[in-house]
Amino acid sequence: MVLAFDWTQLAQQTVIGLSSGGLWALLALALVLIYRSTGVVNFAQGEMAMFSTFIAWSLIHHGLSYWEAFFLTLAISFVGGVALERVVIRPVERAPVLTVVIVTLGLFFLVDGAARWFWSSETRTLPNAFSTRPINVAGVAFSIQDLGNIAVSLGVVALLFVLFQFTKLGLALRAAAANPEESRLLGIRVSWMLALGWGLAAAMGAVSGMLTAPALASFDQNLMQPILLYAFAGAVLGGISSPFGAVIGTMMLGVFVNLIGTYVDWIGTDLRLPVALAVILGVLLVRPAGLFGRASVRRV
Amino acid sequence: VRRALGIGAWALAVAAGLVVFLLLPHLVSDFHSRDLAGAGVFFIAIVGLNLLTGYTGQISLGHGALMAIGAYTTAALVVHEHWRDVWTIPLAGLAAGIVGFIIGIPALRLSGLYLALATFGFAVSMPSLIKKFPGLTGGSQGLSFFESAPQQITGLTGKVTIFGHTMTQAHFLYYLTWSIGIVGFALAWLIVRGGLGRVFRSVRDSEVAAVSSGVNLAATKTLAFALSGVYAGVAGSLLAIQGNIVSPLSFTFRLSILILVGAVVGGLGSLPGLVLGALFVQYLPTISTHVSTRSGVPDFIYGAAIILAMILLPTGAGGLLRRAARPLTTWLYTRP
């Protein structure tokens, strides 16, 4: 059988994959940020992002433009993330990992329930952040929205890199995650660094949510649940201890999932997730630390 | 004398529990008997999850999917093969046990976080996998016993006769579910008390120490997953029998989390509190409608309850019971 292979379609689908992968990468980075400082995955990250998206929707509904609402929501999400850490995570800071994981699962229900409570469960829409007009590059039509999403994702990643690598605050954040005891001796307020990490993670999730929603015909409170799973899977694929790996991992996953959904009929749209997870499980069995992660060695 | 008193106190507590179990449906309406039967389903699944998470230390976010395996085994046997509904329960347990065993195999290499991801993925994928095989599972419509095989439903006419006792269908479902629940609980108690329970706990507390002491890690973990799967499968089967219908919508990720919530509220690593965990999960939605009828309120309260339980009562209701009973137990077990 000869496949009718079409380079134009391949290029288009790859860009679409990179676009969604970029949005997942932001959520994946949020997961990695919290994972590196506390050793747990925040299962509520997706729901927090969804909540932020609903805040943005309300702001736009009250007459703000998309980008005004965007930046205001970022600030609100940052403060909200810090507050959640102080109120909910602080009391279990020294508890076993399983306890903290269960607390984040509780937070998942809490935030999800709150969003259904405040905003009824009817579907709604967000205006587009970018023009949906296609542009032609070498005979292939790409949508500006997809390219814009990729640009914003990479921009946020770059900003984060600068923050962590070139500022004193970033150094303190990294130190607090790497070695809390010694950081405390050096006068870094470790507990507050964790809270800051939660704030940053919440803001990144908000970006992911606010860019994901406009691309959909309509959205409701289930907006971020599949995305959390893709982000989680992509982060694990790239190595959850490595921010760089998490970004590459989710981008790769985005392209892979989109291509396999397009070219393999039996998989279509509804089996993308199981297939992606099966592949990741396979990778993990061979490389338990992920593609770019470093295996942690522990002295017993 | 004190030892005898201690055994007497235990026997008394067990007897009181059995009396409550036998009399309860006669004190409440048929409607509430059905609700209690629903709590029994959660109870069985929670006991199974507690063996795995509470005693062996392996997290599972996928027990709802194992319940789906049990429920669909029952439904397929009833609808396609015209089996009597109650006789499918053992096979449903077996099927979910085998699937649990298979999930346990990657768990040998994945720990903590990765295991959470793998089981999380299993739970999330289950509804779309079910829809992919409509011939067997009825697709997104699900399978209805009532439409396809009504003569296989026990007590459809409203009356069930067992050993000469005639009872309503609601009472039958209650006694069926909780009898299985009590047997499962007793088995779990025996396992936890015995040598196998010690092996499970050693894996939970330190894998390295367990291996050094000669524990076969691979066998232990897969066994815990398989056992836990049997409980989930039986629970799923009972859920299908109670509802007379299975559909992919009943087995979403939520169900897996509800089971985990029940185990946590009841107390991981303890057994008596689990009844309270099951009642909590079953009745919270009903209770929260008194607070507000807006959607989302039950979930909000679930979430707040989980967080508060973890912060204030890390050992769950079971730990609270133990602490409350400590004056009595120390008196009974110290030599004068």
Side-chain angles (χ1 to χ4, degrees):
Chain A
M1 191 184 74
V2 180
L3 281 170
F5 203 76
D6 179 359
W7 283 108
T8 321
Q9 195 193 17
L10 182 68
Q12 271 171 348
Q13 293 298 335
T14 306
V15 168
I16 293 174
L18 282 176
S19 160
S20 44
L23 299 183
W24 303 344
L26 294 178
L27 202 64
L29 265 184
L31 292 175
V32 168
L33 203 61
I34 290 179
Y35 179 78
R36 273 165 66 104
S37 52
T38 50
V40 297
V41 162
N42 178 12
F43 279 92
Q45 200 75 61
E47 297 311 285
M48 285 160 60
M50 176 272 290
F51 200 89
S52 301
T53 312
F54 273 82
I55 293 175
W57 179 86
S58 286
L59 291 175
I60 292 171
H61 207 65
H62 281 93
L64 267 66
S65 76
Y66 179 88
W67 289 107
E68 285 164 7
F70 184 92
F71 288 108
L72 195 55
T73 306
L74 278 191
I76 297 171
S77 305
F78 180 81
V79 174
V82 171
L84 270 185
E85 201 279 342
R86 291 286 90 180
V87 176
V88 174
I89 301 298
R90 182 80 214 276
V92 291
E93 216 174 84
R94 284 157 209 273
V97 168
L98 187 63
T99 308
V100 189
V101 167
I102 291 168
V103 167
T104 67
L105 283 168
L107 205 54
F108 176 98
F109 273 96
L110 188 89
V111 175
D112 186 69
R116 283 173 209 277
W117 186 0
F118 299 155
W119 294 278
S120 62
S121 38
E122 71 204 50
T123 59
R124 45 198 92 219
T125 52
L126 267 192
N128 278 309
F130 303 100
S131 147
T132 44
R133 188 172 53 83
I135 52 169
N136 275 304
V137 180
V140 187
F142 298 111
S143 92
I144 292 185
Q145 192 177 23
D146 284 334
L147 297 177
N149 285 347
I150 297 174
V152 172
S153 316
L154 293 180
V156 172
V157 172
L159 272 179
L160 209 68
F161 180 76
V162 169
L163 171 71
F164 271 88
Q165 224 62 36
F166 299 112
T167 66
K168 211 150 186 195
L169 179 65
L171 189 63
L173 280 164
R174 281 188 292 147
N179 195 334
E181 262 67 46
E182 276 180 35
S183 310
R184 212 167 273 126
L185 289 178
L186 290 172
I188 295 169
R189 300 178 69 176
V190 171
S191 178
W192 272 101
M193 291 299 128
L194 294 186
L196 267 182
W198 270 71
L200 281 176
M204 273 190 292
V207 176
S208 178
M210 284 186 290
L211 290 180
T212 304
L216 304 170
S218 68
F219 68 95
D220 62 4
Q221 281 88 347
N222 296 324
L223 173 69
M224 298 304 277
Q225 284 171 15
I227 296 179
L228 174 72
L229 200 60
Y230 283 126
F232 190 2
V236 167
L237 177 67
I240 192 139
S241 54
S242 142
F244 173 72
V247 172
I248 303 290
T250 27
M251 298 285 243
M252 275 167 49
L253 188 69
V255 173
F256 170 73
V257 161
N258 203 40
L259 290 184
I260 201 168
T262 312
Y263 288 108
V264 185
D265 274 346
W266 189 74
I267 289 167
T269 44
D270 47 341
L271 274 196
R272 285 174 181 189
L273 194 59
V275 169
L277 285 165
V279 170
I280 288 156
L281 215 57
V283 172
L284 282 181
L285 289 177
V286 183
R287 272 194 69 93
L291 294 178
F292 301 96
R294 234 177 314 145
S296 62
V297 180
R298 206 158 41 105
R299 190 190 293 251
V300 192
Chain B
V1 178
R2 287 193 177 183
R3 207 191 142 86
L5 269 176
I7 295 169
W10 265 109
L12 207 65
V14 171
L18 283 178
V19 168
V20 170
F21 155 69
L22 287 173
L23 290 184
L24 201 55
H26 297 284
L27 305 176
V28 298
S29 69
D30 265 13
F31 177 76
H32 284 111
S33 298
R34 276 180 183 273
D35 263 7
L36 284 168
V41 168
F42 278 120
F43 177 66
I44 296 168
I46 289 169
V47 170
L49 181 63
N50 206 10
L51 278 179
L52 183 66
T53 304
Y55 287 95
T56 322
Q58 308 296 305
I59 193 168
S60 167
L61 303 175
H63 262 53
L66 287 173
M67 281 179 74
I69 303 279
Y72 271 92
T73 306
T74 289
L77 285 172
V78 170
V79 170
H80 300 313
E81 305 293 328
H82 294 275
W83 282 38
R84 184 76 176 195
D85 56 2
V86 289
W87 302 132
T88 62
I89 297 174
L91 264 181
L94 187 67
I98 292 170
V99 175
F101 177 80
I102 294 170
I103 300 176
I105 294 172
L108 298 177
R109 296 214 47 183
L110 308 175
S111 60
L113 177 68
Y114 301 104
L115 188 57
L117 170 72
T119 52
F120 180 40
F122 180 54
V124 174
S125 317
M126 191 42 97
S128 38
L129 279 177
I130 290 172
K131 286 183 206 158
K132 267 290 170 192
F133 301 98
L136 185 65
T137 62
S140 48
Q141 298 279 316
L143 291 172
S144 165
F145 301 7
F146 197 76
E147 281 169 19
S148 315
Q151 67 284 3
Q152 306 305 336
I153 303 172
T154 307
L156 189 65
T157 52
K159 290 275 175 254
V160 182
T161 308
I162 300 172
F163 305 132
H165 291 280
T166 304
M167 57 181 102
T168 64
Q169 193 192 13
H171 282 191
F172 166 71
L173 290 175
Y174 168 86
Y175 283 121
L176 176 71
T177 309
W178 280 97
S179 311
I180 293 175
I182 287 171
V183 171
F185 180 82
L187 284 177
W189 187 71
L190 289 175
I191 291 170
V192 166
R193 269 182 65 95
L196 188 55
R198 270 200 302 281
V199 171
F200 281 172
R201 279 195 294 271
S202 72
V203 170
R204 175 191 67 188
D205 294 338
S206 165
E207 289 192 5
V208 177
V211 172
S212 327
S213 319
V215 170
N216 183 343
L217 208 58
T220 310
K221 282 189 184 175
T222 45
L223 180 64
F225 262 98
L227 265 176
S228 184
V230 171
Y231 279 88
V234 169
S237 170
L238 287 166
L239 188 69
I241 291 171
Q242 287 179 12
N244 286 335
I245 189 166
V246 289
S247 117
L249 284 180
S250 332
F251 301 100
T252 56
F253 174 57
R254 268 187 70 87
L255 181 63
S256 302
I257 300 301
L258 288 185
I259 299 168
L260 187 65
V261 169
V264 170
V265 171
L268 285 172
S270 91
L271 287 173
L274 297 185
V275 179
L276 296 175
L279 294 175
F280 173 82
V281 172
Q282 172 74 17
Y283 284 102
L284 192 68
T286 326
I287 294 167
S288 61
T289 51
H290 295 302
V291 180
S292 159
T293 50
R294 296 196 64 160
S295 72
V297 176
D299 278 2
F300 184 82
I301 295 175
Y302 267 130
I306 298 166
I307 294 169
L308 283 177
M310 289 322 285
I311 293 175
L312 302 175
L313 282 178
T315 46
L320 195 66
L321 282 178
R322 237 191 336 261
R323 229 182 303 165
R326 191 171 296 150
L328 181 69
T329 46
T330 42
W331 182 75
L332 284 173
Y333 292 108
T334 40
R335 283 161 195 274

